[in-house]
Each structure stands twice: as structure tokens, then as C-alpha cells.
Amino acid sequence: MKYLSIILVASFIWSCGGPSERLPVLGERETIKKTVNGKEVIDTVYHTIPDFKFVNQQGDTVTAQNFQDKIYVADFFFTTCPTICPVMKKQMKKVYEKFKGQNDVAILSHTIDPEHDTPAVLKEYAKDLGVSGTQWMFVTGNREKIYEIGEKQYLVVAGADSTAPGGYIHSGAFVLVDKQKRVRGMYNGTDEAGTQRLINDIERLQEEYKNEKQ
Amino acid sequence: MKISLLLGASLGIFLLACQGENQIKHEQYVAEGFSLYQTHCANCHQRDGKGLENLYPALSADYLANKAQVICWIKNGVHQPMRVNGKMYNRAMPANPDLKELEIAEIMTYIYATWGKETEITTVETIQAALEKCPSK
């Protein structure tokens, strides 16, 4: 009986005090066999965001290198969008305010209308949104490359559609990417609940990295 | 039992009569206008009408000062910078060519009831008169 209560207390402590559940890794994965120290082991290879090259609101070239050692949130928008983008930007602004100045967190907003949204247009948009510096990057570049990275890598829809208001169709998702460039979460960027879940998950990721270092 | 039913019914009729035809119409316009506002306006001007930073202006008193102008903005969009609450805004507002006159009247009624504290509807006639005089695009 005494032992039983010890076990009960122990399991209670374990379930409460144990490490919180890790965020899942999204996207396709494959297992590969490789040889480590003469032994064959099975390793899981996750979907990761490959390198890219865009230009930000300051006119500077931006690559995956700029996001090294950073947790970042990616999304797609265009500055003249009359539908969901203003709502998404209002929500993303909350994420920005929450993590402002923390250099392990960044935001990467891609325009899907690069012909109109030049670096100068993006710079003014950022300023009018109340964003300074480059913790939140607004990037433009080759149209096909932007659509491709949106659909194939961040797993969201982005593209031209003449029937949509404003001429483009795109997803309202915020995509959370970790320091290993793995997609760790997708959030509805048009509502408060999705945004709060994202803020919460960024903090969970920060915690994961903190625990790994120890 | 019968008496209380009768009392209830007459009370209902009394209240309905008190509320007045105009007030009922105003409430209908506000209700329709609310849902049209959510669809056509709230993305930028936000549900609370406060706008978004320096990107989209709030529906403040100076924005709403000239009704005829607001009607033209809703229908034809805005393509030049404007000053609201002392700040310059220079992002174009898209036109809404598909909105019918009645729908614009309902949106106007909702906006002015909510942020202008008006209790009268904006009539379809007002919309027609204003649209005729809109500056050409």
C-alpha cells in the first residue's frame, strides 16, 4: 500500500513536471540509412526550407543566411490587397510587438505582387504599419520564385487569380519555422485565436532551444 | 390565462407602435449595413472603425464630415492622399462598383449610427443625389 502511494505520487510528479510536449515537425519526411561509427542507423530527414534570395524593404538582399539561428514566421501578402491582408498584418503586428528586440525571432512577409511592391513601396508600407528596423522583413523578388517557395516549401497557396478581389489569391496562414528551417506550425493569421496560438508556440520553441543548450 | 394573453398581445402591439416605423427601418438598415460593412470595409478600417496604424484611416468625425463625399468614396474609391485626424494617408481605397444604391444606403446608415451617433437612415434618394455629383474619376 505504501509502495502504491509512492508510485502514484511519482507518476503524478512525472506527468506534471516532465518536459512539455514538443511541437510537431510538419511536412513530408523520409528515413535514410546511414553509417555511424561502423554501425548502420536509421535517421529521419525532415522537410526543410531551402535557401532563397529576395530583396527586403531596405533594398538589401535577403537569403536563408539572414535567418540563421532564428525562429521565424513567414507569410504572404500584397500591399494593395483589400481582403484578408490588412487583417493578417494587424494580427502579425501583435506578434511583432510581443517579440520586438528579441534577436532569436524574426518575421518574413513575402509580397505576391512584386511588380507593384518594389522595395520602396514595401519600405513605406512597413513605416505606415509602424515597423522599423529589419526584425520584420518585407521582401520582393522574382514572382515565380515567390509563388514556388510559398506552395512547395511553406505549404501555403499563393498566386495570381484574376477573379479574386485585388487580383491575387493567397492563404491567410502564418507559418512557423524553427532554427533548423523545419516547419513547426501553421496558424490562421486572420483571427485572434490563431495568432495567440502562434505567440504561444514561438515561446515553446524558445523554451525547447533553451533546454537543449543546458 | 386568457386575460394575460390578451394583455401580453396588447402590450406587444403598444410597444411596436411606440417603436415607430422609422425606427424599425433604421434598425433594419443598421443590421444589413453591419454585415455589408464586415464584408466590404472592415478588412482595412477594422471592425471597430479605428483603421490600422498609418495605413488605413479611422472613421473619425473628420472622415465622416462630408456625407456626399463618403458616398462617392464608397462607390468610386479614393485615389489621392487625404488627411484624417492630422495624419496623411496615401494608400488608394478600392472602388466598389458592384454595390447597389440600397446597399450603400445601408452601409452609410450603419457607419453613421455607429460612429456618428445618428438615428435617421441615409436614404436611397440621398445616395442617388450624391452619386450624380461625384467628381469624375
Side-chain angles (χ1 to χ4, degrees):
Chain A
M1 192 57 206
K2 202 178 170 188
Y3 287 113
L4 187 69
S5 56
I6 290 173
I7 290 167
L8 271 174
V9 168
S11 64
F12 179 72
I13 290 171
W14 184 78
S15 62
C16 285
S20 61
E21 209 179 305
R22 287 170 64 92
L23 284 179
V25 176
L26 306 182
E28 284 184 26
R29 64 191 61 183
E30 51 183 333
T31 49
I32 52 159
K33 284 180 184 165
K34 63 179 183 183
T35 312
V36 178
N37 297 333
K39 272 189 195 165
E40 194 172 77
V41 293
I42 293 188
D43 204 3
T44 308
V45 178
Y46 294 102
H47 169 78
T48 58
I49 307 294
D51 198 10
F52 51 81
K53 195 173 172 185
F54 298 120
V55 178
N56 73 5
Q57 71 267 37
Q58 311 279 6
D60 297 327
T61 299
V62 172
T63 66
Q65 194 70 22
N66 294 72
F67 296 89
Q68 199 176 12
D69 269 333
K70 288 182 197 295
I71 296 161
Y72 73 95
V73 186
D75 76 344
F76 293 81
F77 84 115
F78 57 110
T79 64
T80 54
C81 162
T83 55
I84 57 175
C85 322
V87 182
M88 291 170 71
K89 287 294 161 278
K90 184 183 181 174
Q91 295 301 336
M92 191 71 100
K93 185 82 193 298
K94 293 178 186 168
V95 180
Y96 172 74
E97 295 294 346
K98 177 80 188 175
F99 297 98
K100 203 170 169 178
Q102 300 186 22
N103 58 17
D104 61 333
V105 178
I107 302 173
L108 177 58
S109 289
H110 308 72
T111 177
I112 55 170
D113 183 11
E115 278 74 28
H116 178 272
D117 293 342
T118 58
V121 169
L122 293 175
K123 187 176 184 175
E124 199 185 344
Y125 187 88
K127 192 190 83 195
D128 285 346
L129 187 59
V131 174
S132 56
T134 52
Q135 187 179 5
W136 186 347
M137 297 246 204
F138 297 81
V139 297
T140 182
N142 178 289
R143 173 191 284 266
E144 298 312 317
K145 293 275 184 234
I146 293 170
Y147 292 178
E148 189 186 305
I149 202 165
E151 289 189 21
K152 298 212 173 114
Q153 308 302 337
Y154 291 111
L155 321 169
V156 297
V157 177
D161 181 346
S162 59
T163 61
Y168 295 90
I169 184 161
H170 68 105
S171 147
F174 292 157
V175 185
L176 177 60
V177 182
D178 70 11
K179 294 182 181 180
Q180 283 80 41
K181 314 281 184 215
R182 299 173 303 193
V183 175
R184 300 295 292 273
M186 309 275 280
Y187 309 84
N188 182 352
T190 63
D191 77 10
E192 186 61 27
T195 308
Q196 290 308 323
R197 206 162 56 81
L198 168 61
I199 288 173
N200 194 36
D201 283 358
I202 292 173
E203 287 173 333
R204 278 173 69 186
L205 266 187
Q206 286 180 312
E207 200 61 27
E208 274 185 25
Y209 285 111
K210 213 195 281 174
N211 292 336
E212 270 172 26
K213 265 188 193 162
Q214 284 165 356
Chain B
M1 183 60 200
K2 262 185 187 168
I3 292 175
S4 66
L5 241 172
L6 196 69
L7 267 175
S10 52
L11 188 69
I13 290 165
F14 178 73
L15 281 179
L16 206 69
C18 263
Q19 207 180 8
E21 207 181 312
N22 284 346
Q23 201 181 335
I24 292 170
K25 197 168 182 187
H26 183 256
E27 279 169 16
Q28 285 171 341
Y29 270 51
V30 168
E32 287 298 318
F34 167 77
S35 101
L36 288 163
Y37 178 86
Q38 302 305 325
T39 309
H40 298 279
C41 320
N43 286 322
C44 294
H45 295 290
Q46 308 297 325
R47 284 163 177 259
D48 58 10
K50 288 186 178 154
L52 180 58
E53 306 288 340
N54 215 8
L55 288 171
Y56 314 108
L59 304 182
S60 57
D62 58 344
Y63 188 96
L64 299 177
N66 183 340
K67 245 187 199 184
Q69 195 177 41
V70 174
I71 293 166
C72 294
W73 288 342
I74 292 173
K75 182 77 174 179
N76 301 328
V78 182
H79 304 278
Q80 66 245 358
M82 67 163 79
R83 182 177 290 277
V84 179
N85 271 342
K87 280 197 286 187
M88 286 306 290
Y89 292 84
N90 52 12
R91 230 152 279 282
M93 168 170 157
N96 292 285
D98 297 335
L99 282 182
K100 297 178 178 61
E101 284 161 357
L102 174 62
E103 292 173 319
I104 297 176
E106 289 165 340
I107 292 172
M108 287 293 289
T109 304
Y110 170 72
I111 289 175
Y112 281 83
T114 310
W115 296 291
K117 305 280 174 242
E118 279 194 18
T119 52
E120 298 288 316
I121 64 162
T122 305
T123 64
V124 172
E125 290 74 33
T126 307
I127 305 298
Q128 285 165 343
L131 289 180
E132 271 169 33
K133 291 184 192 138
C134 283
S136 53
K137 281 176 267 180

